[in-house]
Amino acid sequence: MPHSEFIVGDCENLPFSENSFNAIICANSFHHYPNPQNFFNSVQKVLKLGGRLILRDYTAGTFVLWLCNHIEIPLAHLVGHGDVAMRSEAEIRKYCAKAKLTVERFERRKGMRMHCIVRKKR
């Protein structure tokens, strides 16, 4: 891509100035983040007022999340996978509220997929 710049950084401490972006897309990596609150705090810092985070990852109902987080993910660690945890809608809403972000839409879709739109309103 001739007019693109790729930057390697820490998603839990985004290496950008405050109010830098109108949109942030996080697709299928959130379940690898060991400190999800730090991610949302960092998103809040770098989004402009009115900016959006589009978060796509995995989620499920309570029982399936428990199975994944307590059985599947620990077993996957035995072969080197870097998964940390799948998060529930309630957890996402809690992280956003604490970071002063607003969840505008949260959808659980087929195949344990989450589609979430978050906005910086303050």
Side-chain angles (χ1 to χ4, degrees):
M1 301 180 122
H3 301 289
S4 298
E5 180 181 358
F6 292 91
I7 298 171
V8 176
D10 178 356
C11 64
E12 294 177 355
N13 187 22
L14 293 169
F16 304 104
S17 301
E18 291 184 20
N19 306 308
S20 296
F21 297 98
N22 291 311
I24 295 172
I25 299 170
C26 177
N28 295 332
S29 63
F30 185 66
H31 61 282
H32 294 285
Y33 302 172
N35 302 297
Q37 187 63 61
N38 292 350
F39 167 71
F40 284 105
N41 294 345
S42 192
V43 164
Q44 198 280 342
K45 181 189 91 170
V46 302
L47 271 181
K48 293 179 181 178
L49 191 62
R52 290 187 178 113
L53 163 67
I54 299 169
L55 177 62
R56 306 242 356 196
D57 209 83
Y58 302 104
T59 194
T62 305
F63 179 68
V64 173
L65 280 178
W66 186 92
L67 287 174
C68 290
N69 289 333
H70 292 88
I71 297 172
E72 189 272 333
I73 289 176
L75 288 173
H77 281 248
L78 296 175
V79 293
H81 286 228
D83 300 349
V84 174
M86 291 172 46
R87 307 295 177 176
S88 68
E89 178 178 355
E91 289 174 296
I92 299 297
R93 289 185 180 279
K94 181 184 82 173
Y95 297 135
C96 287
K98 193 170 181 182
K100 298 184 174 121
L101 297 166
T102 302
V103 176
E104 291 191 333
R105 182 184 313 166
F106 187 100
E107 300 174 13
R108 279 182 40 198
R109 295 184 173 174
K110 182 179 176 181
M112 295 175 36
R113 298 288 182 177
M114 165 204 326
H115 177 76
C116 184
I117 299 174
V118 175
R119 186 182 293 251
K120 179 178 177 178
K121 290 190 175 182
R122 321 173 208 166

